[in-house]
Amino acid sequence: MLPTTSRSRSSSSSSRANPMFLQYFRRIVKWQQMDVEYTFWQMLNLCTSPKVVYQHTKYHKQTKNQWARDDPAFIVICSLLLVVAAVAYCVTYDHSGSHAVVVVVSVLLTHFLLTGAVIATCCWFLTNSYLREETPNSHVVEQRVEWLYTFDVHCNSFFPMFVLLYVVHYFLSPLLITHGFIPLLLSNLLFMVGASYYHYLNFLGYDVLPFLERTTFFLYPIGVVIVLSPILILSGFNPSRYFMNMYFSQRL
């Protein structure tokens, strides 16, 4: 009887996922129901005190009985900011309206939403398959990482990287895309810090879940980034010129 009860609880929790998704997507088109002020508070603290944000995630779990946000405001605002940043790059480095539309859509979908969905799915599979603690007591309800929460973690990690690699990079881009060792060094350092901070926030997002173990796995990519950075500098690879050439080759 105990396994049957466990399966029924598991199936009931999965059956609640669909209404949660439906409610989440309904709220995307209802701006009045979004907590914009709290979203900007989260964005600020993700750049300055990210552990505070994930402490509030624990409170959210206690009050809403789910780890994932039930408010899509973060995704909506982050998407709007990304569009504004992409438009700013197009105004500065591109004079073709049709090409600008392609760039904006490509940046929003490829850099944020689709890449985020892929990363979230990989992390969802990895955490649920390999990083969950074993529960020897059959009476304990099995806990699993929600896919929507893994996408939340990606969004949280993406925003500070967006500030560095889209906003700060925009103002430094006239220098970073020029030839020379100083632009090469600054560009690689900026991308190294942005990528490292992304993976650090990724680690914090999963380390806060009490039923996961070996979450330091999410810190390993930082070591890879640190090792690769001097190699890229010595090889003369400038990530700023590479990505700017990818979208605005006729202007560089």
Side-chain angles (χ1 to χ4, degrees):
M1 290 301 294
L2 288 176
T4 307
T5 306
S6 177
R7 283 195 297 268
S8 65
R9 287 178 178 176
S10 177
S11 62
S12 64
S13 63
S14 62
S15 66
R16 288 195 297 267
N18 289 335
M20 183 179 72
F21 270 100
L22 291 175
Q23 181 183 6
Y24 188 86
F25 286 116
R26 285 197 199 101
R27 294 185 66 178
I28 289 180
V29 296
K30 295 181 179 179
W31 182 263
Q32 298 83 355
Q33 296 185 9
M34 298 184 190
D35 193 343
V36 177
E37 182 179 352
Y38 179 64
T39 298
F40 281 119
W41 176 88
Q42 286 183 310
M43 289 178 168
L44 175 62
N45 279 276
L46 284 169
C47 298
T48 57
S49 306
K51 290 184 179 180
V52 174
V53 176
Y54 283 111
Q55 188 64 38
H56 278 252
T57 300
K58 292 182 179 180
Y59 302 150
H60 181 80
K61 170 63 176 177
Q62 294 170 2
T63 56
K64 299 294 183 69
N65 195 31
Q66 66 180 50
W67 291 99
R69 295 187 185 99
D70 56 355
D71 184 357
F74 196 100
I75 296 177
V76 173
I77 293 175
C78 199
S79 298
L80 292 176
L81 293 175
L82 193 57
V83 168
V84 171
V87 169
Y89 276 94
C90 291
V91 169
T92 305
Y93 294 101
D94 198 354
H95 294 312
S96 170
S98 59
H99 182 256
V101 173
V102 173
V103 170
V104 171
V105 173
S106 175
V107 167
L108 178 60
L109 293 180
T110 306
H111 291 199
F112 181 44
L113 297 177
L114 294 181
T115 302
V118 172
I119 293 175
T121 302
C122 292
C123 292
W124 171 80
F125 175 78
L126 176 67
T127 51
N128 285 316
S129 300
Y130 301 106
L131 301 183
R132 283 190 303 145
E133 290 182 346
E134 296 294 334
T135 54
N137 190 345
S138 59
H139 294 276
V140 178
V141 177
E142 184 183 55
Q143 297 191 72
R144 300 182 65 85
V145 181
E146 307 152 4
W147 185 91
L148 197 55
Y149 178 76
T150 63
F151 193 77
D152 281 346
V153 172
H154 161 72
C155 294
N156 291 344
S157 304
F158 180 86
F159 180 74
M161 186 174 67
F162 160 78
V163 173
L164 283 174
L165 301 186
Y166 292 81
V167 180
V168 175
H169 183 276
Y170 172 78
F171 292 104
L172 295 179
S173 59
L175 169 65
L176 297 178
I177 63 177
T178 58
H179 295 281
F181 178 74
I182 297 301
L184 173 69
L185 177 64
L186 291 178
S187 178
N188 276 280
L189 287 177
L190 190 63
F191 275 78
M192 181 188 72
V193 173
S196 297
Y197 199 65
Y198 175 91
H199 290 292
Y200 172 67
L201 291 188
N202 224 30
F203 157 74
L204 290 183
Y206 295 106
D207 190 57
V208 77
L209 302 181
F211 55 91
L212 293 184
E213 58 184 3
R214 302 187 302 276
T215 52
T216 51
F217 171 83
F218 293 101
L219 292 174
Y220 294 165
I222 298 178
V224 176
V225 171
I226 294 174
V227 170
L228 281 180
S229 292
I231 297 175
L232 294 177
I233 293 172
L234 293 174
S235 65
F237 177 77
N238 186 327
S240 296
R241 286 190 63 84
Y242 174 80
F243 287 108
M244 295 292 283
N245 272 310
M246 182 185 300
Y247 291 104
F248 312 108
S249 55
Q250 72 277 10
R251 296 282 297 166
L252 303 180

